[in-house]
Amino acid sequence: MPGIVAVTAERIRDEHGLATTRSRVTVTFDGPVVPAESRIPLASHFEFDVLQADGSAKRVLVKTAERSPADRRQVVLEVDALVTRGSTLRVSRRAFNPAAPGVVEAEVGAGLEPVAALLASVALAPADPAFFDPPAPRATDPADDDPAAMRAALERHLRQRGTDAATIADALAVYDAIPPATVPAPKLRAALAALVGTFAEPALTDLLTAQNCTGLPAASIDFRTPPGNERLLARVTYTGNGARVVSVEPGLRDERFELLMPLLAHEAVHCDQADSRVEEIVATAFDTLLFLQLVAADPSLAQERTRLARELRIDALALINSGGVWPESIGVLRSPGVVQALPGTNADHRSFAEFVVRSYPSVPELQSPTEPLAAAYMAVLASGAGVTAGDPFDLRQLDDLLGRALDIGDLLEVIRAFGLEPAG
């Protein structure tokens, strides 16, 4: 029997480049492969002990085995499971010599890490059922209306995020420069200034200057009842000359300003007056990604039980349980191993995109023109991920980028902060 030189595993993708939960494993020997004549399929001579995230191993059989047409030293296996790095391949010696007893073992040297394979295969659910409980109000803090107090809170937040001194100075300068006539509430000014140093920083130029599709700075960003729908947390409307008015539900006055950051990053995306289901998916995906990054930096945000915190964490769970391209990360499309994006509820949404669409029943249009600010968010994230920016209104491209944009360390911090575990 030839000796095994290397065993490498790769995830199989479908014709659209979406991930599956199957693997293709290439076994390279130190010489040409000549299987013995046998009525037993070649695949039956191979099996794996697949390393799991908890350190245990699971026996997995091989579906098909074929000699590689490109290299006579290789056998290519297909397995109906994700074969992880560190797993053990066992090959019966009878595959090559009918009289030879025993097996040969080799370690899989390339493949998904066990934790990544777990995240790519199952939905996560909160261990605490209170995760979905109705919201509880937060006590009013008089300091929220004090510009100096909110400036100090902004600085503390930036330091909590690990922001460098120059960026802190920039953010504080933005806070000081935001005109109270346009943004009366110090808390909203702090939430806007805190976007400095995040991928959503372009929202500041879009909202506060004329560099946007309206050609005008926003006329007002304030706490007022969003017109037209009592359930909305915020809404963009327009003045007679076309300037935007961003209305934030007054009941959110007592929220932590960090939680208002994703809300404002979302509303800033809406510039033209053509809304669509795809636009809401995109805007909500970006605001939820920002929320995840904030929770990774400050896990105390995961413990808030207010109305806005509840909305954001449920969105976060759906985003974590989605991802067609990188299901071990986040995304908007359905993950291959997930049948319910919100396990532990009666909701049957299979993906983040489905969940968001059903949250906006009053939006009939499927598609609308790509919003420039969404493209700007995409460009910042793509640059950080080292890839080319695509069209954020192409959900396949958005899904791909989101999965690359969230650092695995940040994702694990979020999972711990929310107390998520594999859904049973």
Side-chain angles (χ1 to χ4, degrees):
M1 172 178 173
I4 298 175
V5 175
V7 184
T8 58
E10 62 177 337
R11 174 170 41 203
I12 294 174
R13 294 186 177 275
D14 68 16
E15 64 274 19
H16 305 293
L18 300 180
T20 72
T21 53
R22 298 180 292 120
S23 297
R24 182 178 296 108
V25 182
T26 301
V27 185
T28 304
F29 294 87
D30 60 7
V33 175
V34 183
E37 291 290 335
S38 174
R39 291 179 297 178
I40 300 174
L42 183 58
S44 297
H45 293 290
F46 294 81
E47 65 178 44
F48 290 91
D49 281 336
V50 175
L51 184 62
Q52 306 294 299
D54 62 2
S56 65
K58 179 181 179 181
R59 184 186 180 211
V60 174
L61 302 181
V62 172
K63 183 178 181 180
T64 66
E66 297 179 353
R67 285 179 290 176
S68 170
D71 189 332
R72 295 193 307 157
R73 300 174 305 140
Q74 293 181 339
V75 174
V76 179
L77 315 175
E78 288 200 6
V79 184
D80 287 336
L82 293 175
V83 176
T84 57
R85 182 194 302 270
S87 298
T88 300
L89 168 68
R90 284 196 298 275
V91 185
S92 169
R93 293 180 183 274
R94 290 191 176 91
F96 305 95
N97 182 347
V103 298
V104 174
E105 295 186 349
E107 183 176 312
V108 178
L112 284 174
E113 295 296 334
V115 170
L118 175 66
L119 295 175
S121 304
V122 301
L124 299 181
D128 182 1
F131 184 94
F132 297 107
D133 279 359
R138 197 166 187 267
T140 299
D141 185 351
D144 290 352
D145 295 322
D146 181 344
M150 288 311 305
R151 192 180 194 276
L154 169 62
E155 184 171 0
R156 287 194 299 273
H157 160 76
L158 294 166
R159 295 190 186 283
Q160 172 80 27
R161 267 170 38 194
T163 308
D164 62 81
T167 304
I168 290 175
D170 288 345
L172 294 175
V174 167
Y175 176 81
D176 294 337
I178 296 174
T182 302
V183 190
K187 180 175 281 188
L188 290 176
R189 298 203 296 274
L192 285 168
L195 296 177
V196 172
T198 74
F199 74 85
E201 183 174 343
L204 295 170
T205 299
D206 199 272
L207 285 171
L208 301 175
T209 77
Q211 298 178 45
N212 60 66
C213 74
T214 70
L216 297 165
S220 174
I221 303 171
D222 200 6
F223 291 110
R224 64 172 70 81
T225 301
N229 189 329
E230 294 180 358
R231 293 183 62 253
L232 288 178
L233 297 177
R235 188 179 182 188
V236 172
T237 52
Y238 302 83
T239 63
N241 67 352
R244 282 178 291 179
V245 174
V246 181
S247 301
V248 179
E249 164 59 41
L252 305 185
R253 281 183 179 274
D254 296 327
E255 299 278 354
R256 288 177 58 172
F257 79 85
E258 298 97 319
L259 298 180
L260 293 168
M261 292 168 60
L263 189 67
L264 294 173
H266 175 128
E267 295 305 320
V269 169
H270 300 310
C271 187
D272 62 29
Q273 299 189 37
D275 197 7
S276 68
R277 295 175 181 179
V278 166
E279 184 166 321
E280 293 298 347
I281 292 168
V282 171
T284 309
F286 283 134
D287 82 50
T288 308
L289 171 60
L290 180 59
F291 176 59
L292 293 178
Q293 293 174 334
L294 293 172
V295 170
D298 183 359
S300 71
L301 292 170
Q303 305 309 312
E304 293 292 326
R305 289 295 180 263
T306 57
R307 179 185 176 190
L308 181 54
R310 182 179 186 273
E311 295 280 345
L312 287 169
R313 70 173 176 269
I314 291 174
D315 288 350
L317 181 61
L319 197 74
I320 290 169
N321 282 331
S322 301
V325 181
W326 307 106
E328 63 273 26
S329 185
I330 61 172
V332 297
L333 303 179
R334 182 182 179 184
S335 288
V338 173
V339 295
Q340 188 182 23
L342 295 174
T345 73
N346 294 324
D348 61 354
H349 319 297
R350 297 173 298 173
S351 69
F352 180 86
E354 283 189 16
F355 171 63
V356 173
V357 165
R358 292 202 205 171
S359 299
Y360 288 90
S362 62
V363 179
E365 296 297 327
L366 175 61
Q367 193 82 35
S368 55
T370 298
E371 290 281 8
L373 184 59
Y377 290 170
M378 189 92 157
V380 175
L381 292 169
S383 176
V387 297
T388 301
D391 180 357
F393 279 38
D394 179 324
L395 296 186
R396 166 64 174 76
Q397 295 182 34
L398 176 66
D399 186 87
D400 187 353
L401 182 64
L402 290 172
R404 297 174 187 270
L406 185 63
D407 179 81
I408 183 64
D410 285 351
L411 177 58
L412 294 177
E413 284 291 341
V414 168
I415 289 170
R416 283 190 285 268
F418 284 125
L420 305 181
E421 60 186 18

